[in-house]
Amino acid sequence: SIPPNQLAQLMNTISAILKEIVKMQTELHNAERVKKLEAAMIQAIKLAPPESQQVFLEQYETLLKAAE
């Protein structure tokens, strides 16, 4: 009773929504992974001597600016 073109439209819409949900989940997963990596890096830096910490942070800041 429903025209085929309307069913096709519905399927295309659902497909687009599902693709967007997958994309959002991937972005969220990646963001969470980056947070975990940053937390691990901070913990590792805290174990280093203060001089090494300073050198690392200076180099890290320089690299971040270069990446922008």
Side-chain angles (χ1 to χ4, degrees):
S1 65
I2 300 173
N5 66 329
Q6 286 183 354
L7 286 175
Q9 254 183 335
L10 176 63
M11 293 303 291
N12 287 338
T13 301
I14 291 171
S15 178
I17 290 169
L18 289 174
K19 284 180 186 178
E20 190 62 29
I21 289 171
V22 168
K23 180 182 171 189
M24 290 171 62
Q25 285 179 327
T26 301
E27 289 172 356
L28 177 62
H29 172 76
N30 289 343
E32 290 299 318
R33 176 112 172 99
V34 167
K35 285 181 188 177
K36 288 178 183 179
L37 290 171
E38 287 176 341
M41 183 178 65
I42 289 168
Q43 290 299 320
I45 292 168
K46 287 180 179 180
L47 298 174
E51 304 82 25
S52 297
Q53 291 177 11
Q54 185 64 33
V55 170
F56 173 84
L57 292 172
E58 288 170 359
Q59 290 297 315
Y60 187 65
E61 183 178 359
T62 301
L63 292 168
L64 282 177
K65 286 180 181 176
E68 290 179 349

